[in-house]
């Protein structure tokens, strides 16, 4: 069984949506004002973003985007870094990985 839908509460739907489109290739299926958006990936993931005034995810909460190899992880890292995001370089932990705080109040892990 595959998990293929998640709903995230975010403080800024538009910024989170644009971030996910730009760096992770998701495509917007629909939006409603600045309060709701539905994004899809090429593998069947449906990611919904809903506006909330307070976002309080647990400290270790994150979503992840698996890449095919270290080069893809490094490319995303450099793209984020070059665009001014405060992100630490990938490192070998449980896999080749790094984390980035996304606009809207949640964290993303990029790994292979």
């Amino acid at each position: 069984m595959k998990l293929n839908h998640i709903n995230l509460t975010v403080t800024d739907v538009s910024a989170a949506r644009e971030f996910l489109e730009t760096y992770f290739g998701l495509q917007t299926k629909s939006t409603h004002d600045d309060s709701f958006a539905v994004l899809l990936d090429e593998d069947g993931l449906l990611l919904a973003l809903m506006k909330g005034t307070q976002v309080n995810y647990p400290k270790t909460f994150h979503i992840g985007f698996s890449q095919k190899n270290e080069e893809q992880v490094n490319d995303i890292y450099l793209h984020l870094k070059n665009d001014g995001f405060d992100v630490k370089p990938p490192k070998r932990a449980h896999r080749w990985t790094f984390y980035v705080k996304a606009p809207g109040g949640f964290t993303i892990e990029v790994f292979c």
Side-chain angles (χ1 to χ4, degrees), residues 70-112:
E70 290 183 9
E71 184 178 352
Q72 288 181 335
V73 172
N74 295 340
D75 287 346
I76 294 170
Y77 162 75
L78 288 173
H79 191 184
L80 289 160
K81 186 76 170 170
N82 290 339
D83 285 353
F85 286 91
D86 181 21
V87 59
K88 293 180 181 172
K91 65 180 180 179
R92 185 119 5 248
H94 51 287
R95 50 190 144 195
W96 189 243
T97 184
F98 74 91
Y99 295 84
V100 61
K101 188 77 166 181
F106 62 100
T107 299
I108 294 174
E109 180 183 11
V110 182
F111 61 91
C112 70

Side-chain angles (χ1 to χ4, degrees), residues 18-104:
E18 290 170 10
F19 181 83
L20 291 164
E21 290 173 337
T22 301
Y23 299 102
F24 299 100
L26 276 71
Q27 296 181 345
T28 299
K29 179 180 178 184
S30 64
T31 61
H32 184 271
D33 302 321
D34 284 332
S35 64
F36 181 74
V38 174
L39 295 96
L40 303 172
D41 75 1
E42 71 275 353
D43 198 34
L45 170 69
L46 186 150
L47 176 59
L49 302 172
M50 297 183 98
K51 174 86 172 169
T53 55
Q54 293 182 326
V55 175
N56 295 310
Y57 290 109
K59 183 179 178 181
T60 59
F61 175 84
H62 63 279
I63 63 171
F65 288 98
S66 177
Q67 304 302 304
K68 291 181 182 176
N69 54 49
E70 290 183 9
E71 184 178 352
Q72 288 181 335
V73 172
N74 295 340
D75 287 346
I76 294 170
Y77 162 75
L78 288 173
H79 191 184
L80 289 160
K81 186 76 170 170
N82 290 339
D83 285 353
F85 286 91
D86 181 21
V87 59
K88 293 180 181 172
K91 65 180 180 179
R92 185 119 5 248
H94 51 287
R95 50 190 144 195
W96 189 243
T97 184
F98 74 91
Y99 295 84
V100 61
K101 188 77 166 181

